[in-house]
Amino acid sequence: DQQVKQNSPSLSVQEGRISILNCDYTNSMFDYFLWYKKYPAEGPTFLISISSIKDKNEDGRFTVFLNKSAKHLSLHIVPSQPGDSAVYFCAIMEGGSEKLVFGKGTKLTVNP
Amino acid sequence: KAGVTQTPRYLIKTRGQQVTLSCSPISGHRSVSWYQQTPGQGLQFLFEYFSETQRNKGNFPGRFSGRQFSNSRSEMNVSTLELGDSALYLCASSSGAAVSRYTEAFFGQGTRLTVV
């Protein structure tokens, strides 16, 4: 059973608009969440993270929101740029280890 | 500061052979984790090494093994290769320090293994 779910395999937005990527998780004990961006044939690149003691973390154009009661995580990118086109993975870091559990990813396409 | 280095970038092997992949973590990082990425299963955790000890293991058969050296460099080995082992193998390094629970993992570019 998937512990981390990204239900939208793809998302297409216009340049300059907001991109919202969503992620749901099953275990309320998870306490550290990360977003990675991945281009084809490259390793994932860390974007932003949030711990369960916060409900929002912002870094430039990227903001992550955490709704613990809904067990829901979202990544907002505003304004979106064509260079943001990539696959975005949400991940949780399991307690007591460095193990990351990834969602299946959402392919974001930002159209000029 | 150099990033995570994985070698080789590409490999083609025949069924039944074995393969060894290498990963050099970011300087100062002591934790190295390995992941397999396939189109069907996504990114799946293989194992993690910290200070030369396997600290965590994913749900992969015993054909998949690894080790870590005193300089934190790590290797993973896959024996008796199967067609289904064709994947992108990614290595991630992190500080692994117990000081802070919250640490990011940084990935290498991966090794693309094709089994024919």
Side-chain angles (χ1 to χ4, degrees):
Chain A
D1 191 28
Q2 278 184 271
Q3 299 182 79
V4 182
K5 294 183 183 180
Q6 292 178 258
N7 291 319
S8 299
S10 62
L11 174 68
S12 184
V13 300
Q14 284 299 121
E15 181 178 5
R17 306 295 292 267
I18 185 171
S19 296
I20 300 177
L21 299 118
N22 294 302
C23 180
D24 296 300
Y25 58 95
T26 57
N27 191 334
S28 57
M29 297 300 291
F30 292 153
D31 66 349
Y32 189 48
F33 308 87
L34 307 92
W35 283 95
Y36 284 84
K37 170 181 173 180
K38 188 179 183 301
Y39 295 113
E42 292 187 11
T45 302
F46 169 74
L47 271 176
I48 192 169
S49 62
I50 189 168
S51 71
S52 60
I53 61 173
K54 295 184 175 181
D55 53 20
K56 175 182 174 181
N57 190 24
E58 194 170 352
D59 184 2
R61 296 185 299 113
F62 301 91
T63 303
V64 57
F65 294 92
L66 176 62
N67 182 333
K68 291 185 286 294
S69 60
K71 288 184 272 187
H72 180 80
L73 190 67
S74 63
L75 175 69
H76 293 208
I77 306 172
V78 56
S80 301
Q81 300 172 355
D84 296 330
S85 298
V87 178
Y88 289 78
F89 292 93
C90 73
I92 59 97
M93 185 170 278
E94 284 198 348
S97 80
E98 305 290 312
K99 175 183 176 182
L100 289 168
V101 179
F102 286 89
K104 297 274 191 184
T106 297
K107 183 177 181 181
L108 173 66
T109 302
V110 180
N111 301 303
Chain B
K1 199 174 188 181
V4 180
T5 304
Q6 289 189 247
T7 55
R9 288 293 310 277
Y10 302 94
L11 264 179
I12 299 176
K13 290 285 188 178
T14 305
R15 269 183 303 175
Q17 286 187 311
Q18 74 162 11
V19 66
T20 299
L21 313 180
S22 180
C23 172
S24 293
I26 291 170
S27 178
H29 282 188
R30 295 166 63 191
S31 171
V32 174
S33 300
W34 289 89
Y35 293 82
Q36 180 196 65
Q37 185 185 23
T38 58
Q41 298 299 318
L43 279 152
Q44 292 191 293
F45 174 80
L46 280 154
F47 29 65
E48 183 227 349
Y49 285 86
F50 179 80
S51 292
E52 303 178 64
T53 301
Q54 188 181 86
R55 199 160 65 166
N56 210 336
K57 191 176 187 306
N59 296 323
F60 279 81
R63 298 185 299 107
F64 292 81
S65 63
R67 59 178 175 168
Q68 187 179 33
F69 302 95
S70 58
N71 61 359
S72 293
R73 190 178 71 84
S74 176
E75 290 180 347
M76 70 162 278
N77 184 276
V78 188
S79 62
T80 321
L81 283 165
E82 301 176 0
L83 295 178
D85 297 333
S86 295
L88 181 67
Y89 289 88
L90 292 157
C91 164
S93 87
S94 60
S95 63
V99 173
S100 170
R101 164 76 178 83
Y102 308 119
T103 177
E104 297 83 43
F106 298 90
F107 285 81
Q109 291 188 291
T111 295
R112 170 70 64 185
L113 172 65
T114 303
V115 182
V116 298

